[in-house]
Amino acid sequence: MKALRKQLDKIKPNFQKGGKFEKLHSTFDAFETFLFVPDKTTRTGSHIRDSIDLKRTMSAVIIAMIPALLFGIWNTGYQHYLSLGQDPGFLPIVGYGLMKVLPIIVVSYAAGLGVEFIFAQYRGHEVNEGYLVSGMLIPLVMPVDVPLWMVAVASIFAVVIGKEAFGGTGMNVFNPALLARAFIFFAYPAKITGDTIWTGGLSTGEGVVDGFSGATPLGNAAAGAMDKIPSMYDLFFGFIPGSIGETSKIAILLGALILIVTGIGSWRIMLSGLLGGITMTLIFNAFAANEYMTLSPLTQIMMGSFLFGMVFMATDPVTAAQTDKGKWIYGFLAGFFAIMIRVFNPAYPEGTMLAILLMNAFAPLIDHYVVEANIRKRIKRAVTVVKS
Amino acid sequence: MPKTINLNRGLNISITGEADKSLKEAVALHYAIKPTDFIGVFPRMLVAEGAPVKAGTPLFIDKYRENICFVSPVSGTVSEIKRGDKRVLLEVRIEPDGKNESEQFGKADPSALSKPEITEKLLKSGLWSMIRQRPYGIIANPDQTPKAIHISAFDTAPLAPDYDYIVKGKGEQFQAGINALAKLTAGKVHLNISNRTSAGEFLNCRNVELTTFKGPHPAGNVGIQIHHIDPINKGEVVWFAGVQDVIAIGSLFTEGIYNAEIVVALAGSEVLKTGYLKTRRGACISKMVENNVKEGDLRYISGNVLTGTQIRRDNFIGFYDSLITVIPEGNYHEFFGWALPGFNKLSFSRTYFSWLSPKRKYTVDTNLHGGERALVMTGQFEKVLPMDIYPMQLIKAALSENIELMENLGMYEVEPEDLALCEFIDTSKTEIQAIVRQGLETLRKEMS
């Protein structure tokens, strides 16, 4: 440790103002602070500070995503061999999963972080850790057969247009990871819809056993094939096709638990999102105009990316509503619209992504009204005092 | 039974080095009055270096409010008038002569005096400077009548002194001080106590409205208490004073002199023998910490670790402070500090495993524990601010110097100390207290 610290201190002047590599200051700083928590002390205000920083915050979110990621890797292999009608055992399944998923993660991080570093350098500030989460979320919401170049383009789009154009981390309106997915969705619709993209190798025409369609539960539901929706057991544990991280509900709930216990993710958004989804489903159940509308709330919630979206996407502190009251409204509507879009939109089976992006756009408005109520209360209080 | 107000939000930071309940006389070689302790005061000197002074002799006045003067806490000579950059007056140092001579202001029963008479006496003796107002935290305007006067009889900050202990035996002076203050307001004098307050001096105090507060820090902050008893609206003024300020004001009437004696707590993990010290306002701390602190790079704080002022080890206690805290500096690199399990790391969040042992006390240093970042997390500040105020929105309004928005969001109701916990828990390491002060100063300039 000491030798490393010495070496860093030795080369540090090169990266500071006037040094040889002055232009790489942000990059050096990012790596230095990754290795060592800085020796900076408090100057003004509180003399002591909480041990938490943005790195720790983001690490907590990443740790929360690990169960979903690990299951996603396994399930990628599992679905692949299922389509081939083979059962080669645990290791080859995980091996195949790693082979498919790891490159997506690497590309997502490399492309996104590359842009982040360039912008930090250009703007002369420190590299923000926000992308550490986005970079992991992007692979988790991708179909496994997505072309890598597309992941790269989408990641760059998400960072440049989604984040930096609005002023960088903390200023963005839309969740970057969802934006990356939406980008592919609108730019290359063929690559993110249909039945064949969810299972590794299916889209490239590898042999398929009879009876394997590759369709996701939502795909089946949208097609009216309610009888083909997998059992609640499969839905809950995630032995189904779908985006890499979305299938296992138990892994997602484990992540939710970590987020709530650490206090990083908003339980208000998660809970109200769930309530919103259930409410919409119950309304559908009451009308029951078609078979899709008769699905139970539990089935709706267990299908698709609903839970994943509510736990990991809707809770993004920057793009969600910021006030506690606002979070209830925001979460509820996100869940509400997710089910509504899912059932009504004929073009695409899932509605979570669009619902959350829509609510991202409305979050500032919700906050505005919540804060406005507080302001009105204060003004009214002042007026009553003057009158009395 | 006094009314009880329960506050749920907040955070008690438990750190090591609490002051031992033992009282000692402290020696001080120097005393100093620091104009920087008084917000918005532009000093004009009345004495020169070498001038002899008594306790209560005016040293300087406020250029913009000439009836407000600042007096010597002790008899002696003006040994140094210290100036900083741009000749800003930093300290007026007094070397004591040991004679304990005082200016005579005359004894009186405050209950028998009128408001102008009391004001006059306080102004003349320099004790007016102990009455401050909200908003802005500046010294009160003697021409105004506040809607109420608040005194917080307890402090919930880390290692804070116990006022039950400090007030012991000073009930008479405290009551006299209350009686004097009661004449100054059209409303009530509120004495805000904790549910743990046991001192008869507070519980049996007359001429006040008692309110009990129950809850974690910042429940002891007078700003939080005002907010829950009777919040400040635009255009309104509320005055406040500390317990020892009230005692000093009381002594002026019972003894007829400026009795600058105070009791301060000496606390912090790096103090070898903590305890309560009897000294005077503005005392130099060097003798108190001499041979009484651990080795190493240390930070000396006048006040508590959240809101106090950093001072050198040969510097002076702040005018309004009753606490000296000594903690280690944190100027070291920590290898993968952010990634460790952190069983011994103090954090409000539960991202470190230390949350599994909620009872433990921590030795904390001044390390920032991270780099400054954009404001990312939301919904955190609300958890430690027991007020009907949106802290994040208020901070952003202050940053953008939006006067109307600051007013609307309740800037008049806060002081930086009320948001100190927000600053403590902030993952982005933003200088929130400085931002709030800046915002308040913007408002004050706009309104004057």
Side-chain angles (χ1 to χ4, degrees), chain A residues 5-23:
Chain A
R5 187 62 244 168
K6 261 191 191 155
Q7 187 62 26
L8 276 174
D9 285 336
K10 208 173 114 194
I11 60 168
K12 197 172 180 175
N14 291 329
F15 295 94
Q16 279 161 346
K17 222 176 155 118
K20 255 187 290 181
F21 306 113
E22 187 189 332
K23 287 222 153 60

Side-chain angles (χ1 to χ4, degrees), chain A residues 162-230:
Chain A
K163 225 156 86 172
E164 299 301 337
F166 289 98
T169 303
M171 314 284 186
N172 46 314
V173 176
F174 298 105
N175 182 318
L178 270 184
L179 216 54
R181 195 177 198 278
F183 174 79
I184 298 185
F185 176 64
F186 287 110
Y188 311 100
K191 290 290 176 191
I192 204 155
T193 48
D195 289 345
T196 61
I197 54 150
W198 308 104
T199 309
L202 217 59
S203 57
T204 48
E206 284 183 44
V208 176
V209 290
D210 280 350
F212 188 91
S213 76
T216 61
L218 281 176
N220 285 327
M226 300 303 157
D227 53 322
K228 285 194 183 149
I229 293 175

Side-chain angles (χ1 to χ4, degrees), chain A residues 107-125:
Chain A
V107 168
S108 154
Y109 272 122
L113 278 180
V115 180
E116 285 268 3
F117 275 80
I118 293 167
F119 268 93
Q121 195 59 59
Y122 174 71
R123 292 216 170 107
H125 61 60

